[in-house]
Amino acid sequence: QVQPVESGGGLVQAGGSLRLSCAASGRTFSGYDVGWFRQAPGKERQFVAAMSYATFQADSVKGRFTISRDNAKNMVYLQMNSLKSEDTAVYYCAARPTSYQRRLTSTLEWDYWGQGTQVTVSS
């Protein structure tokens, strides 16, 4: 099974950019959907973006965040631009065997999770 490992979080000013990385431990991401979720204090974990048979993003990040993957390096990235204070959260990388039936936006439909990386946007 694959184990995602996130990195790249930190403190950034509003309007700035940050790139999160997710490495696969145990095996490659080949044959897996990959996604990013985030959880702010006191809130439920929410969908941010995912790559399956297509690329999907939450409305709140469209035009600002981009998910990508580098199969040669076995990495997944989340490029975050024009950051806002409301983007402050712990960001999690997730993976699951590629599926055309399972919902992308539900945390219950993802099998493997990283430990999370903190992103703090100061206003």
Side-chain angles (χ1 to χ4, degrees):
Q1 65 186 38
V2 66
Q3 178 59 51
V5 180
E6 308 94 337
S7 62
L11 174 65
V12 62
Q13 287 189 334
S17 298
L18 207 58
R19 189 178 80 160
L20 304 183
S21 300
C22 179
S25 176
R27 58 157 294 164
T28 71
F29 281 132
S30 176
Y32 282 78
D33 295 340
V34 290
W36 289 95
F37 289 74
R38 67 186 181 186
Q39 187 167 19
K43 296 188 177 181
E44 293 186 351
R45 194 170 298 187
Q46 63 176 195
F47 171 77
V48 175
M51 295 185 77
S52 178
Y53 53 90
T55 300
F56 302 87
Q57 294 169 305
D59 288 343
S60 59
V61 305
K62 277 183 181 176
R64 300 189 300 122
F65 290 11
T66 303
I67 185 173
S68 62
R69 63 195 299 171
D70 185 332
N71 290 329
K73 295 183 178 180
N74 202 28
M75 296 288 293
V76 177
Y77 304 101
L78 184 68
Q79 178 66 44
M80 304 185 295
N81 300 326
S82 302
L83 282 161
K84 306 175 182 180
S85 57
E86 52 262 44
D87 294 319
T88 295
V90 177
Y91 283 72
Y92 296 90
C93 181
R96 68 184 192 190
T98 295
S99 170
Y100 295 89
Q101 288 82 34
R102 300 171 75 183
R103 288 177 57 198
L104 283 165
T105 59
S106 171
T107 58
L108 299 177
E109 300 290 356
W110 291 82
D111 302 316
Y112 308 106
W113 293 87
Q115 80 289 351
T117 186
Q118 176 71 46
V119 172
T120 302
V121 183
S122 64
S123 56

